């Protein structure tokens, strides 16, 4: 079973499409996503927690998440940013607050789910992320997956 955790849902389809095209043109950005902070079997717990906090932040949908990663370069840099830098990158106050002070109980709940057998978090840049899903306008930034990620490649 596959669940899209967060979709673009921000009413900015044209922005999402332009962003998607921009990201696809910049292989170096995609390579950076794949090598820096992409959840997977060898992902650090701190990176996983950062992804969980970011996708739980209010008002942060797929399009704005992609913009943040492009703006800051990595998820670690997003979490190193000040409130002012996050606001300059386009986030509202409640999203800035959620990133600066994540709800640890929500992260713990999501982390507990991810520790179960065959539970995975796939992000847009993950090699196991479905190729065709990546090609739609405004693809989900992250997927919670229960099952075998290899089956997504069929």
């Amino acid at each position: 079973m596959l669940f899209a955790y967060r979709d673009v849902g921000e009413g900015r389809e044209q922005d999402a499409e332009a962003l998607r095209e921009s990201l696809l043109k910049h292989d170096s950005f995609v390579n950076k996503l794949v090598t820096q902070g992409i959840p997977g079997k060898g992902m650090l717990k701190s990176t996983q927690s950062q992804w969980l906090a970011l996708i739980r932040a209010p008002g942060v949908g797929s399009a704005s998440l992609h913009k943040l990663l492009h703006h800051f370069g990595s998820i670690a840099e997003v979490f190193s940013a000040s409130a002012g830098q996050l606001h300059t990158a386009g986030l509202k106050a409640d999203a800035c607050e959620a990133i600066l002070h994540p709800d640890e109980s929500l992260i713990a709940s999501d982390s507990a789910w991810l520790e179960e057998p065959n539970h995975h978090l796939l992000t847009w840049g993950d090699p196991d992320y479905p190729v065709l899903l990546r090609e739609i306008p405004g693809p989900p930034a992250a997927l919670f997956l229960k099952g075998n990620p290899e089956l997504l490649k069929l």
Side-chain angles (χ1 to χ4, degrees):
M1 188 176 290
L2 178 70
F3 296 96
Y5 186 75
R6 175 86 61 142
D7 80 32
V8 91
E10 295 176 29
R12 295 187 279 235
E13 293 176 15
Q14 291 176 333
D15 288 346
E17 179 62 21
L19 176 63
R20 184 182 73 79
E21 289 175 14
S22 173
L23 293 177
L24 291 174
K25 289 179 185 174
H26 298 291
D27 289 341
S28 62
F29 174 68
V30 174
N31 289 335
K32 185 180 279 190
L33 283 176
V34 171
T35 59
Q36 295 182 13
I38 297 302
K41 292 181 173 88
M43 185 181 76
L44 297 173
K45 282 288 187 188
S46 61
T47 303
Q48 176 178 291
S49 295
Q50 290 172 332
W51 271 101
L52 294 172
L54 194 54
I55 60 179
R56 286 283 195 169
V60 178
S62 292
S64 55
L65 192 146
H66 289 301
K67 287 178 187 177
L68 280 175
L69 290 173
H70 191 258
H71 179 85
F72 288 104
S74 73
I75 195 159
E77 291 300 316
V78 171
F79 281 86
S80 295
S82 68
Q85 291 169 318
L86 293 169
H87 182 71
T88 300
L91 292 183
K92 294 183 178 177
D94 57 344
C96 294
E97 180 65 22
I99 290 170
L100 294 172
H101 306 286
D103 184 331
E104 296 297 330
S105 65
L106 290 175
I107 293 170
S109 175
D110 290 341
S111 294
W113 186 88
L114 288 167
E115 289 175 10
E116 295 294 321
N118 288 316
H119 288 194
H120 308 275
L121 177 64
L122 301 179
T123 63
W124 190 85
D126 191 301
D128 288 329
Y129 190 96
V131 174
L132 293 176
L133 186 58
R134 189 181 287 131
E135 293 178 7
I136 68 168
L143 303 171
F144 279 84
L145 172 73
K146 182 176 180 180
N148 183 352
E150 290 295 317
L151 296 176
L152 298 174
K153 294 179 181 177
L154 298 177

